[in-house]
Amino acid sequence: MDLYEYQGKELFKRVGIPVSEGRLATTPGEARQAAEVLGGPVVVKAQVLTGGRGKAGGIKLAANAHEAEERAKEILGLDIRGHVVRKLWIERASDIAKEYYLSLTFDRGAKQALYMFTTQGGVDIEQVAEESPDALVQLRVDPLEGFHPWQARRLVYGAGVADRSEQNQIAAIVGKLHDAFVRFDAMLCEINPLIVTPEGEVKALDSKFTVDDNALFRHPEVAEMRDLDAADPLEAYAREKHVTYVKLDGDVGVLGNGAGLTMSTVDVVTFAGGRPANFCDLGGGGDAQGVVDALSVITRDPQVKAIFFNIFGGITRCDEVARGILQALGEMSLDLPIVARLDGTNAEEGRTILAEAAPANLRVAPTMLEAAKLAVELAAAA
Ligand code: GDP
Ligand code: MN
């Protein structure tokens, strides 16, 4: 789950990472009031779950409360990469002397947490990694050993921070970022920019915070932060139905059982020259009702032109899945072409069930590749 900047900063604050004081606003009037309360110049910041807000015109300075109201009028309703701005974070403006970058995420290959730090912050970190890789200091933390203060010093010295007070402040923030990462089961904690003010004060000017969905049960106060209005309605519906669903941008609906097989199915569709419309995982069970639920999710996406049903029966029984497909076809008016590939436990029974019922829009293919090719063809023809 991705958090908004203001929510991430709230968690930063709880572990002691310095942030600027701010207020949330949803109307220009509220933005003016927030600026009045904060006093002095403020920055009006679009709260959307995407980066690059500054470049898109979603971050603006305002010298006073009146200007804050004007800037809020400009930013509210703005579409930033498909995200409409409905909330603003009004923050006391900071003077910036330097912009650094600090993040903590996972290096899945190394099975360790990975720090990245550079004094070339503010811009795209991908650009720094590409153009001046030496400026980007990387350091991994062994989860069994945990974080050691010397690691913070290595990051700070490695990036060439010379000022003693800055070194100390950043080293403290590095440690606190690890606290936040562990305490809230984060997948990513990123501060870009981590600024140094002209007075030499270091603080987090931005926050990107992603919490592991599978750990949300341990953090009800974080789970509550979820913004139901901003969520994709289809993803919300899928969650309600306990279907793992990720929207993609193609036209072949993909339904598999198990994340590994479903990912491979996405690959095979791409290999066959098509573009998956989604990633939909039935999970290990795959009973008839699960199939009905998953199909009801996929068919709500108007971009889907054909469905590729890829089942490898282990615990899941192909005959049960076949019944689920027929039940779903009986319950909903579904005229999209469906290609099914069933293999594994009770595959023969499953195929026989489908062959006997022989719904007009259902085709059975013997292999994954053949099924993918057929699904891609049918989607293209639709
Ligand atoms: P992003 O574009 O979505 O990453 O949003 P940020 O919160 O990182 O803001 C983008 C840029 O706006 C920053 O890199 C700063 O240069 C600028 N900015 C943000 N807040 C302030 C502020 O309080 N004072 C000043 N002077 N600039 C700011
Ligand atoms: Mn930023």
Side-chain angles (χ1 to χ4, degrees), residues 268-289:
V268 173
V269 167
T270 310
F271 181 74
R275 291 183 66 81
N278 66 278
F279 169 105
C280 189
D281 174 13
L282 276 182
D287 57 3
Q289 189 56 46

Side-chain angles (χ1 to χ4, degrees), residues 43 45 51-54 59 61 93-94 96 99 122 192-193 205-206:
V43 51
K45 310 187 78 172
R53 296 165 301 159
I59 311 272
L61 287 161
S94 306
I96 304 176
E99 293 192 314
N192 188 24
L205 209 64
D206 191 7

Side-chain angles (χ1 to χ4, degrees), residues 100-183:
Y100 297 166
Y101 171 99
L102 174 67
S103 69
L104 185 54
T105 180
F106 281 114
D107 177 342
R108 289 172 188 275
K111 299 188 178 122
Q112 294 184 330
L114 170 71
Y115 272 112
M116 286 194 268
F117 178 63
T118 174
T119 55
Q120 302 186 16
V123 292
D124 276 350
I125 196 63
E126 287 81 6
Q127 198 180 328
V128 177
E130 202 166 295
E131 290 170 11
S132 34
D134 293 343
L136 190 64
V137 188
Q138 304 194 15
L139 192 137
R140 286 161 186 80
V141 181
D142 188 315
L144 296 177
E145 280 184 26
F147 170 79
H148 295 284
W150 63 262
Q151 294 174 309
R153 293 195 291 275
R154 176 165 289 183
L155 282 172
V156 170
Y157 298 143
V161 176
D163 182 87
R164 179 55 63 92
S165 157
E166 251 181 59
Q167 289 173 349
N168 291 337
Q169 292 179 69
I170 297 170
I173 291 172
V174 167
K176 285 166 181 164
L177 200 66
H178 191 265
D179 293 344
F181 193 78
V182 172
R183 175 162 155 198

Side-chain angles (χ1 to χ4, degrees), residues 5 9 20-23 25 31 34-35 38-47 53-54 58-64 67-68 71-72 75 88-96 203 205:
E5 172 197 0
K9 282 180 166 171
S20 301
E21 199 189 334
R23 293 272 188 289
L38 293 167
V42 293
V43 51
V44 180
K45 310 187 78 172
Q47 297 301 292
R53 296 165 301 159
I59 311 272
K60 286 186 174 154
L61 287 161
N64 51 47
E67 274 187 39
R71 298 295 86 78
I75 298 174
L88 300 170
W89 179 241
I90 316 295
E91 184 175 276
R92 189 167 282 155
S94 306
D95 290 327
I96 304 176
K203 63 180 169 184
L205 209 64

